[in-house]
Amino acid sequence: MQQLSLPLALPDPEPIKAIWFQEMLQFFGISQCPAWPDRFGLSLHNWLIEQGHSPIKTLSLFSGGGGLDIAFHDAGFDIVLMVELEAKYVQTLKKNSMPGAWLANSKPICIDIREFFPSSDFTVDFIIGGPPCQTFSAAGRRASGVAGISDSRGALFQEYVRLLKTLQPKGFLFENVYGLTGAQKGEAWQEIQNAFQDSGYTIHSRVLDAADYGVPQHRERLFIIGIRKGNYLFPYPTHGPDSPGQEPFYSAGAAVEGADISDAEEGIRGRYGHLLKDIPPGLNYSFYTEEMGHPNPVFSWRSKFSDFLYKADPQMPVRTIKAQGGQYTGPFSWENRRFTVSELKRLQTIPDNYEIVGNQQICIEQIGNSVPPQLGRILALSILEQVMGIKLPFAMPYLPPTKQLGFRQRKRQLTEVYAQKAKAAISNILITKQLTSTSSSRYVNEGKAVRFLSIDFAWNEKEVPDSLKININYNLSNTSWMIIGETGESRKEEYQYIIDICPACGYEDWVLSTNTIKLCAVNLDKRLFTGLWKSFEEKLAEITGMADLVQLSGYYQYPARISGIMTFHSQLKIEPFWRVVQCVVRGIGVANQLSAKRLALLWGVSTDNVFSYLQSLRGMGYEVRNHNTNPQIPKGEYLIPYAFPTLTPKSVQLRKKLG
């Protein structure tokens, strides 16, 4: 019989180790049922007590709702003090520090870390915590950069350093968003590293994805481990393609099984709530964009945050749970509703028996701000073994310093998978004729309406205090839309100006089944100008289903998809400010951060008058930004994102001032 020649087996530079996650569960007698992280934490804590290990005195800073505290408490760290500024979060810490509760015998205090000065006899072995991360967050980057350590919240790490120098523990864990490493062109990250090293610590840092460590949620965070002596390596993932044995991810569907849904509400309310139903699990608002192939796009590509109308996929970990968000901020359940607080706790691996105090929004804040305990437990175990010298009952493999994890690459691959899911879902909708046609029969040939524009830029059908009454005449056809507005009771013969709107060059195939739009003003009135754009936006939503003018034009960091030209009556004497408005409608000085001097040159006006003109534009509903409204914008520069007014009563910018 012929013998087969086997290829020579070369040594693997990174030998496949035993499936250590399975070994851990087997040691504690735990099966992978829903809420297994809770049982793992309890079993680990009880085993350490049985072994008689001396508790490791630990100080918790910026404790929030207690995510890291749960993790380190379970791994044998004695949380002797929890420092938290927010009184509403301290209530949760107190509740769970009572006898018999998860963090029994821990002591929370409500104090600003800048006012926390421990007594001379206060000693600890370890410090954990991560300062507020908003100044390094994705939201900050979206608003033209991040403030980083120049913001008072970003500088709180200095208080962390002060306490390290004062207390000199054996080590510390510092957690923050991964955007910290790129803030201020890397200068903030370098300053933070230098400060920790100058305090006497060797630091080791990695960006980790919580899903790689048994959390049913993709959540990328930066972790810094600082130690005074010895060496430290981060643990290998327990789950996913980078884990030894490639243990499957802990899916969202498995995690929430059996969780309390008694307070679940059916669907989500509001203008866009009905859209959630058709979005395939794993996708978000982008399902309703032209780029995804939707025949009736509602939104423009990348015009919303990625969690806007994001529906979780039960077969995968969810995307990051946000601490704060709007009405349409996901993740939403694949059952087309909001997750309950109990389900969100499961997705964050916060124990079922850990009571979060507060109303629903305060509970969500605490969940979204916390470090997932299961990720924290694995890090705590690695510190327990390497820094504290405690032998673990199972082998924990550690990542070589040069080992790269693949979660970023997998994220890009997953985007392609969901794009295919979107294509299939849209094909199915078309086949079953569930989409509503935007044929010409939906167009109103002629019509009149009365609207009221309030001082906060609400567009109302009924009169409200201090609102402006605007008479609107519509003349809509397949070739052109004409929207005429006036503020008086009597009709004048001629228009004071006309704004012609058409697709920008390269975007001729727009969603409107008409060639041009004309906004015609009978009166030269600033608020009527705003009202005309509101009228256009109203008809846009009514006829196409598109959300607003931003979705038609596109997010401001991309080339505008519409173009506007404002033409005044030939005999009208035009003030300089209206010439500025004319330039802005044309897109001149728009969508770029520009100095007052540069704007003056573009608009042909005096530099001294630019600020007052910008103030007037805000008074017309334009979203004008500067350093006062968005600290990320350099002083002396201004940003007008769009060529048309966009402020509404819900706009964050409405409550800010230019100066």
Side-chain angles (χ1 to χ4, degrees):
M1 185 173 68
Q2 184 179 7
Q3 292 184 337
L4 296 176
S5 176
L6 298 177
L8 180 64
L10 297 175
D12 190 337
E14 293 181 10
I16 296 297
K17 305 174 181 65
I19 304 176
W20 68 291
F21 168 69
Q22 294 290 353
E23 286 187 350
M24 284 194 299
L25 295 191
Q26 289 172 10
F27 178 82
F28 292 119
I30 298 170
S31 61
Q32 292 191 60
C33 57
W36 65 260
D38 300 11
R39 296 174 177 82
F40 176 74
L42 281 172
S43 299
L44 174 63
H45 182 69
N46 291 335
W47 179 82
L48 287 165
I49 292 175
E50 292 170 0
Q51 298 303 304
H53 292 300
S54 299
I56 301 160
K57 295 177 65 177
T58 303
L59 169 64
S60 170
L61 303 176
F62 313 103
S63 302
L68 267 179
D69 305 279
I70 295 169
F72 276 76
H73 168 270
D74 291 350
F77 290 72
D78 183 14
I79 314 296
V80 295
L81 201 62
M82 294 181 282
V83 177
E84 172 55 45
L85 173 62
E86 291 285 351
K88 56 189 177 182
Y89 303 160
V90 173
Q91 295 304 309
T92 292
L93 300 177
K94 286 182 176 179
K95 185 75 174 180
N96 292 282
S97 298
M98 297 174 67
W102 203 280
L103 299 176
N105 302 320
S106 299
K107 182 183 177 182
I109 60 171
C110 186
I111 189 173
D112 189 324
I113 192 173
R114 289 167 288 199
E115 299 173 0
F116 174 61
F117 294 90
S119 60
S120 58
D121 61 348
F122 181 80
T123 60
V124 293
D125 303 304
F126 206 78
I127 295 179
I128 59 175
C133 62
Q134 292 91 334
T135 59
F136 304 109
S137 67
R141 294 195 300 276
R142 190 176 173 93
S144 307
V146 291
I149 57 176
S150 60
D151 184 283
S152 59
R153 296 168 297 177
L156 286 174
F157 85 93
Q158 295 166 350
E159 299 299 322
Y160 200 122
V161 171
R162 170 178 64 82
L163 290 167
L164 286 173
K165 291 179 177 178
T166 300
L167 299 172
Q168 297 186 2
K170 292 181 181 179
F172 68 89
L173 179 146
F174 178 96
E175 177 267 348
N176 217 290
V177 294
Y178 69 86
L180 183 152
T181 58
Q184 298 171 306
K185 300 180 180 179
E187 295 175 6
W189 173 226
Q190 190 59 54
E191 183 174 337
I192 289 172
Q193 292 181 87
N194 293 342
F196 284 140
Q197 290 167 348
D198 291 344
S199 302
Y201 293 88
T202 301
I203 64 172
H204 307 269
S205 63
R206 264 189 185 271
V207 175
L208 302 176
D209 181 1
D212 284 350
Y213 293 88
V215 179
Q217 176 188 168
H218 288 296
R219 186 184 189 91
E220 295 177 32
R221 289 295 185 269
L222 169 70
F223 289 90
I224 302 172
I225 309 296
I227 55 175
R228 299 186 71 85
K229 295 179 181 179
N231 192 28
Y232 176 82
L233 295 173
F234 283 88
Y236 253 93
T238 59
H239 291 70
D242 287 325
S243 66
Q246 299 191 345
E247 179 75 20
F249 285 126
Y250 184 26
S251 70
V256 303
E257 184 180 338
D260 183 11
I261 58 170
S262 59
D263 58 343
E265 296 181 3
E266 185 177 348
I268 59 172
R269 301 174 184 175
R271 179 178 176 185
Y272 307 123
H274 67 285
L275 298 176
L276 184 65
K277 182 179 179 181
D278 285 339
I279 296 176
L283 275 78
N284 58 8
Y285 79 94
S286 62
F287 176 70
Y288 290 98
T289 63
E290 182 180 349
E291 284 75 6
M292 280 287 190
H294 204 288
N296 286 350
V298 178
F299 303 104
S300 180
W301 188 248
R302 293 184 178 175
S303 62
K304 302 288 185 182
F305 283 109
S306 62
D307 49 327
F308 192 91
L309 287 177
Y310 159 58
K311 183 191 291 185
D313 185 342
Q315 304 302 318
M316 295 290 293
V318 300
R319 293 182 190 171
T320 304
I321 296 171
K322 300 297 190 295
Q324 294 179 324
Q327 184 177 9
Y328 306 105
T329 299
F332 294 103
S333 169
W334 45 89
E335 295 179 351
N336 300 313
R337 58 171 176 80
R338 298 184 188 279
F339 283 115
T340 65
V341 169
S342 295
E343 289 175 314
L344 290 173
K345 286 169 63 179
R346 290 276 188 91
L347 296 172
Q348 194 79 351
T349 65
I350 293 174
D352 287 349
N353 293 338
Y354 190 86
E355 186 173 344
I356 302 179
V357 179
N359 61 29
Q360 185 180 46
Q361 184 52 50
I362 292 175
C363 288
I364 293 172
E365 281 181 29
Q366 293 175 78
I367 294 169
N369 278 329
S370 66
V371 174
Q374 186 57 25
L375 167 58
R377 289 185 189 109
I378 302 301
L379 292 175
L381 283 171
S382 71
I383 293 165
L384 198 66
E385 183 171 66
Q386 297 178 83
V387 181
M388 302 302 169
I390 296 177
K391 181 65 177 175
L392 300 178
F394 37 75
M396 176 175 277
Y398 293 107
L399 290 164
T402 57
K403 173 68 175 179
Q404 297 294 315
L405 298 177
F407 52 82
R408 293 280 172 79
Q409 183 180 359
R410 291 195 295 273
K411 183 188 292 186
R412 291 190 289 270
Q413 293 170 346
L414 199 59
T415 299
E416 292 299 321
V417 171
Y418 285 127
Q420 292 301 315
K421 287 184 68 174
K423 185 179 295 184
I426 289 170
S427 296
N428 184 60
I429 290 173
L430 287 170
I431 291 170
T432 56
K433 298 182 179 181
Q434 292 177 4
L435 286 174
T436 304
S437 172
T438 55
S439 64
S440 59
S441 62
R442 295 182 61 193
Y443 281 49
V444 179
N445 291 328
E446 292 185 4
K448 296 183 178 181
V450 175
R451 295 290 184 266
F452 297 90
L453 180 68
S454 63
I455 57 176
D456 62 354
F457 305 109
W459 187 240
N460 304 299
E461 294 186 14
K462 296 182 179 180
E463 187 173 6
V464 296
D466 299 320
S467 62
L468 175 70
K469 179 182 178 181
I470 300 177
N471 298 312
I472 303 292
N473 282 270
Y474 301 100
N475 190 344
L476 312 178
S477 72
N478 290 333
T479 57
S480 68
W481 289 10
M482 181 172 286
I483 301 175
I484 305 164
E486 62 176 332
T487 58
E489 294 297 330
S490 59
R491 183 72 189 277
K492 295 184 179 180
E493 293 295 325
E494 298 175 313
Y495 306 132
Q496 302 300 292
Y497 62 81
I498 296 174
I499 300 174
D500 288 284
I501 304 165
C502 61
C505 182
Y507 296 100
E508 287 77 8
D509 186 23
W510 64 353
V511 298
L512 292 174
S513 299
T514 188
N515 298 328
T516 63
I517 291 93
K518 291 182 180 292
L519 307 181
C520 309
V522 175
N523 314 94
L524 189 63
D525 183 283
K526 293 178 181 178
R527 295 180 70 184
L528 176 59
F529 173 90
T530 309
L532 282 169
W533 285 102
K534 294 281 186 181
S535 297
F536 174 31
E537 189 170 63
E538 179 184 6
K539 283 298 177 186
L540 175 72
E542 177 186 319
I543 292 175
T544 71
M546 188 162 278
D548 51 39
L549 290 174
V550 171
Q551 313 311 320
L552 181 66
S553 181
Y555 184 49
Y556 77 89
Q557 292 186 351
Y558 299 93
R561 296 184 174 187
I562 62 174
S563 176
I565 298 176
M566 186 177 187
T567 307
F568 293 98
H569 191 284
S570 59
Q571 297 181 358
L572 192 64
K573 185 177 181 180
I574 306 301
E575 297 178 356
F577 171 70
W578 281 104
R579 293 299 183 191
V580 169
V581 175
Q582 187 178 40
C583 289
V584 172
V585 170
R586 192 69 181 264
I588 300 172
V590 172
N592 289 293
Q593 291 177 194
L594 301 169
S595 66
K597 183 177 180 180
R598 178 61 177 162
L599 287 171
L601 289 172
L602 290 171
W603 294 340
V605 297
S606 169
T607 303
D608 294 339
N609 293 330
V610 166
F611 186 78
S612 65
Y613 292 155
L614 292 169
Q615 290 276 39
S616 295
L617 286 171
R618 277 181 68 91
M620 295 168 69
Y622 276 94
E623 186 179 330
V624 184
R625 306 177 189 175
N626 69 352
H627 184 75
N628 284 348
T629 66
N630 296 71
Q632 301 85 3
I633 297 176
K635 291 182 179 180
E637 293 188 0
Y638 301 90
L639 171 66
I640 307 170
Y642 301 101
F644 43 84
T646 56
L647 290 179
T648 70
K650 295 183 179 180
S651 299
V652 174
Q653 291 291 326
L654 185 64
R655 295 177 288 279
K656 298 182 178 182
K657 297 184 182 298
L658 288 177

